[in-house]
Amino acid sequence: MTKENYKSGFVALVGRPNVGKSTLMNHLIGQKIAITSDKPQTTRNRIQTVYTDERGQIIFLDTPGIHKAKNKLGQYMVSVAEGTLSEVDVVLWLVEPGTFIGAGEQHIAELLKKVKTPVILVINKVDTVKNREDILKFIDAYRNVCQFAEIVPASALKGENMDTMLKLLFQYLPFGPQYYDEETVTDQPMRQIAAELVREKALRLLEDEIPHGIAVTVEKMTERDSGMFDIEATIVCERESHKGIIIGKGGAMLKKIGSAARREIENLMGARVNLQLWVKVRREWRDSELYMKNYGYFQ
């Protein structure tokens, strides 16, 4: 394909927490970069990934879920998500199947009415809908909420309608240059991806009350002559009682988190990894700008 026909641009994924934005992005680019869990507000920073084929290049921005902020970290996450809307060529708004449009969705609709960017509504998780005819009711319920360029029912988890979505994205993207080479799938540094994978495993394995209050930092990442990587990371929590739960009886929980994270990091890096984890308490870190900067927020 000649460069005159080459499409490229930026696509923001927005929606309320836990609607499947990271799962969708991971599926579209064919590789796991953004962490996923069934806990809301899993994504905290804007994660940039790249999809390239002969039609062109799509740079996806997976934003934190738009929600009512309860602390400085929450305010930061919402400002990142809302700020992205004015910087992109297409917006993918993900919602869950249903006819009830709650306050959270209404708030996002109001934000999207202010942008001139084409908005594609993605009704995600249609694999959970027993009666497929109900999908038409969901489309009808949303049709007049916003001025949509397209409405697509999809399942990010099962890969349903992903090709249709890519086709539509290329349709709405402008002609433009290739921003990254074909091999690039993310602009995230490997240290950050490793930290996020540790956080994902902690989110999945820990009690419900702890995950929002944890951050992960990679203190050290070095490669041996043999090609093996040594990674030292710290899980930061807000209370001593949380520290005990994260470590677990005889260190069992920390070991479990470390083993699960190490396997994923090895798969992604294509190399053996020696991962060592520590746990630190930093009280109320989510309301401290200094700690938030140290842990990779407020960039």
Side-chain angles (χ1 to χ4, degrees):
M1 187 172 280
T2 62
K3 282 291 180 188
E4 292 87 73
N5 295 332
Y6 200 83
K7 294 280 195 100
S8 66
F10 294 79
V11 174
L13 290 97
V14 299
R16 290 181 64 235
N18 216 24
V19 290
K21 297 181 294 297
S22 298
T23 305
L24 177 70
M25 187 183 71
N26 288 339
H27 198 106
L28 288 173
I29 64 162
Q31 195 166 336
K32 180 172 173 177
I33 298 295
I35 71 169
T36 60
S37 85
D38 58 3
K39 311 273 195 314
Q41 298 160 43
T42 302
T43 301
R44 285 179 178 166
N45 267 310
R46 192 170 78 171
I47 295 169
Q48 193 159 298
T49 61
V50 185
Y51 174 85
T52 308
D53 70 14
E54 71 284 353
R55 293 170 289 185
Q57 191 166 75
I58 305 169
I59 295 101
F60 289 103
L61 303 174
D62 178 21
T63 62
I66 296 173
H67 62 284
K68 194 169 182 183
K70 291 180 182 161
N71 49 39
K72 279 203 169 88
L73 176 62
Q75 289 163 13
Y76 165 74
M77 287 160 64
V78 172
S79 69
V80 165
E82 294 182 1
T84 303
L85 297 176
S86 59
E87 301 170 10
V88 296
D89 301 294
V90 180
V91 173
L92 281 182
W93 177 18
L94 272 74
V95 298
E96 293 191 352
T99 53
F100 174 71
I101 299 164
E105 263 79 30
Q106 297 283 7
H107 173 63
I108 294 170
E110 290 308 310
L111 292 173
L112 293 175
K113 282 173 187 171
K114 295 172 194 165
V115 301
K116 296 182 173 68
T117 313
V119 177
I120 297 174
L121 180 74
V122 180
I123 300 175
N124 193 28
K125 305 185 183 182
V126 294
D127 56 294
T128 62
V129 179
K130 288 189 176 75
N131 183 359
R132 302 296 271 192
E133 286 174 15
D134 285 345
I135 294 168
L136 294 173
K137 294 177 191 167
F138 308 149
I139 291 170
D140 272 345
Y142 272 94
R143 200 183 296 282
N144 299 317
V145 169
C146 215
Q147 194 71 44
F148 296 115
E150 306 282 347
I151 299 178
V152 185
S155 167
L157 192 64
K158 305 286 185 191
E160 196 177 321
N161 261 352
M162 296 296 112
D163 288 344
T164 302
M165 205 166 321
L166 284 171
K167 192 176 168 186
L168 287 171
L169 288 173
F170 279 120
Q171 189 180 312
Y172 287 97
L173 283 179
F175 294 105
Q178 184 175 319
Y179 292 98
Y180 296 92
D181 63 46
E182 284 86 352
E183 283 72 46
T184 301
V185 289
T186 182
D187 67 345
Q188 300 290 101
M190 197 59 226
R191 286 172 82 107
Q192 196 170 332
I193 294 171
E196 285 290 272
L197 287 173
V198 172
R199 190 165 70 90
E200 176 187 64
K201 300 310 166 197
L203 284 173
R204 289 192 173 185
L205 292 166
L206 290 168
E207 305 287 326
D208 281 350
E209 70 271 17
I210 296 172
H212 289 323
I214 65 166
V216 177
T217 58
V218 169
E219 322 294 340
K220 189 177 161 194
M221 188 171 186
T222 53
E223 188 176 2
R224 298 185 197 179
D225 293 339
S226 63
M228 185 176 185
F229 282 84
D230 290 298
I231 300 174
E232 295 178 14
T234 303
I235 298 174
V236 179
C237 60
E238 291 184 313
R239 294 182 196 155
E240 284 295 336
S241 58
H242 288 175
K243 183 178 179 178
I245 294 168
I246 294 166
I247 293 170
K249 196 175 179 182
M253 178 54 79
L254 195 61
K255 202 171 181 180
K256 210 169 171 183
I257 293 166
S259 298
R262 179 182 52 77
R263 281 196 296 274
E264 288 236 4
I265 296 166
E266 285 182 336
N267 288 341
L268 202 58
M269 295 179 77
R272 285 179 63 227
V273 168
N274 168 38
L275 176 64
Q276 292 187 298
L277 296 180
W278 283 269
V279 184
K280 262 186 206 166
V281 178
R282 290 285 178 267
R283 295 188 189 284
E284 311 299 329
W285 72 263
R286 287 179 293 173
D287 270 318
S288 160
E289 290 190 17
L290 179 64
Y291 281 139
M292 282 172 59
K293 277 180 183 162
N294 288 346
Y295 303 151
Y297 309 114
F298 281 145
Q299 290 173 337

